Amino acid sequence: MLSDPTSHDAILDYCARHTSQHDATLQAIYRSVALHTANPHMASTPYQGVLLQLLAAIIQPSVAVEIGSHAGFGAVCIAQGMAGCGTLHLIESNEEYQPLIMRHAQMASVQDTIQLHIGDASRLIPTLPDGIGFAFIDADKEQYDHYYSLLLPKMRPGGIMLFDNMLWYGRVVEAEQQPDRPQSQLRCNRQTQAIHQLNCRITADPRVDNILLPLRDGLMLCRVKDTSPTKKP
């Protein structure tokens, strides 16, 4: 184990430098997000974007979903990974992002892959088609558990669900270690408790296999099992 206190940042930098780099278009889109939004930190990072693109390319879903699209950087990464096959449904609650999302989709020539829905995810998820192969969720943390309940029945066997911010700046550890302490005395809040409870729920759910990755602010990756009855020969 390295004792240098800067070693963690050095390792992350090493990982980023030894990861595939985005093309010029995606780099331009990422700069556009920084220039044209008040909260660019809410967008997926380029490092995370590579993972989204790789997962979409590996899974090749005919139906994919992103809940919480912000300005569309992550969506473009997913759409590029899909390589023109299938439809990526984007759900974004803030209509002000609609022009940016569509501009960025056009910059990357993936506008025909994307179908944008503006509104409340709780109302829109039930209207999505079944057979979802890939779902990326990065939206209202207090609603994550509800989104999980709505999405899981719509996923195809073998489909992948990916939840962002599942470590929540490390506060989930405090929520687990001091569950009875008043929230006013903790760094925890309702969002922390919601994320911790969903981590516990997913881990105990026999319908999925899962792994919680310490990437960025924590990514919970779930693979939906095939629970259909096995046919006898």
Side-chain angles (χ1 to χ4, degrees), residues 18-30:
H18 291 81
T19 295
S20 296
Q21 302 301 301
H22 289 301
D23 61 26
T25 299
L26 270 172
Q27 292 178 27
I29 290 171
Y30 192 74

Side-chain angles (χ1 to χ4, degrees), residues 9 12 29 38-39 96 112 119 125 127-128 157 167 169 179 198 213:
D9 289 340
L12 291 178
I29 290 171
N39 45 10
E96 293 181 0
D112 293 336
I125 292 171
T127 70
L128 298 176
L167 292 177
Y169 311 105
L198 181 57
L213 301 167

Side-chain angles (χ1 to χ4, degrees), residues 91 117-128 146-147 150:
I91 297 179
H117 310 265
I118 300 294
D120 179 14
S122 296
R123 179 180 59 82
L124 290 168
I125 292 171
T127 70
L128 298 176
H146 187 46
Y147 299 158
L150 292 174

Side-chain angles (χ1 to χ4, degrees), residues 84-129:
C85 300
T87 301
L88 171 59
H89 294 269
L90 308 183
I91 297 179
E92 173 54 52
S93 62
N94 189 344
E95 63 182 9
E96 293 181 0
Y97 287 129
Q98 182 171 358
L100 263 182
I101 292 171
M102 297 316 299
R103 182 197 307 171
H104 294 155
Q106 290 168 358
M107 286 173 63
S109 301
V110 295
Q111 67 272 16
D112 293 336
T113 299
I114 286 173
Q115 186 172 338
L116 177 60
H117 310 265
I118 300 294
D120 179 14
S122 296
R123 179 180 59 82
L124 290 168
I125 292 171
T127 70
L128 298 176

Side-chain angles (χ1 to χ4, degrees), residues 5 9 16 22 39 43 73 84 158 163 181 220:
D9 289 340
H22 289 301
N39 45 10
F73 177 75
F163 287 84
R181 192 173 177 185
M220 176 64 84

Side-chain angles (χ1 to χ4, degrees), residues 9-71:
D9 289 340
I11 289 170
L12 291 178
D13 179 66
Y14 180 88
C15 291
R17 287 187 288 106
H18 291 81
T19 295
S20 296
Q21 302 301 301
H22 289 301
D23 61 26
T25 299
L26 270 172
Q27 292 178 27
I29 290 171
Y30 192 74
R31 289 193 297 270
S32 174
V33 171
L35 286 171
H36 297 109
T37 65
N39 45 10
H41 65 280
M42 293 178 63
S44 296
T45 63
Y47 185 65
Q48 185 178 10
V50 174
L51 177 63
L52 294 174
Q53 190 171 4
L54 282 174
L55 286 173
I58 292 167
I59 300 164
Q60 284 295 289
S62 58
V63 181
V65 175
E66 182 187 51
I67 301 176
S69 296
H70 191 245

